[in-house]
Amino acid sequence: GVDRFAHGPRLRAPHRTAGWSVDRWIADGRTDATRPYDGSMADVADDLTADADAGDRLLTLPNAITLVRLLCIPLFLYLLFVRDARLGAAVLLGALGATDWVDGYAARHLHQVSNFGKAFDPTVDRLLLIVGVVSIIVAEGCPLWFGLIVVTREVLLSIWVVSIMALGAKRMDVTWWGKAGTFGIMVAFPAFLAASDQGIPESYQTLFEIVAWCAAIPGLACAMIAFVGYFPAGVRALQEGRAARHATSA
């Protein structure tokens, strides 16, 4: 993804934020600040190890995990539109969103980071987001206004992030508002979908709907606060990125 572009010294393995929104996509660009990169022999050794690990390998456990998540998309569609098993589709979607961190965790801790995985993982995340949200809207499994706001936000913010990164912006840090918004939204959509399942007891439908609204309202509020904040942050990131490149070339 565009968030993988880096300028200057090698960046350490990014933090991962659960979920499949653009805020998690931005979060993937963060650097690990647990220890600064100071050019010491230890850091050089880390670089050599990381560069060796970050080859073009395809057959790795993290890539296999990401592939399984990708193959779950047709299963989600089958459950939702063929079987009309909305509760099952909701559980699957929620599980896919909640376990998004697993492949990244495995890549870092098993030293199986790969160039293919760096592009494959965020691509699958985007597909999960698009297919999941759009399918729920089409199936009338959530309030239309809520779904449209989330989709519009994701599209506009994605265009903004891609644009400024292409122009040379430094990586942006995901905000607390963005993390909170992502969590609320990733809970709300599966809960709304489960609440629309006419095959479960009405009391369960009511319970899922309460959970959905309790997550949707604060989640959307936080997401919109983050949405507004990412634009001035993007401008600053662009200015800092260009300044850093100018200083390097000077």
Side-chain angles (χ1 to χ4, degrees), residues 91-149:
V91 170
L92 177 60
L93 184 63
L96 290 174
T99 58
D100 171 63
W101 57 273
V102 174
D103 45 7
Y105 179 89
R108 292 191 301 274
H109 290 267
L110 296 178
H111 304 292
Q112 293 184 353
V113 176
S114 67
N115 294 327
F116 174 76
K118 291 177 181 179
F120 187 39
D121 178 42
T123 300
V124 172
D125 291 336
R126 306 313 297 168
L127 285 174
L128 281 171
L129 169 68
I130 295 170
V131 173
V133 174
V134 172
S135 297
I136 292 175
I137 293 175
V138 171
E140 299 181 349
C142 71
L144 180 60
W145 65 268
F146 178 75
L148 292 179
I149 289 177

Side-chain angles (χ1 to χ4, degrees), residues 76 80 85-91 93 132 135-136 139-142 187-198 200 208 212:
F76 169 77
L80 180 57
R86 297 192 171 208
L87 179 59
V91 170
L93 184 63
S135 297
I136 292 175
E140 299 181 349
C142 71
V187 170
F189 274 109
F192 274 130
L193 182 59
S196 68
D197 191 334
Q198 300 299 316
I200 62 177
F208 282 124

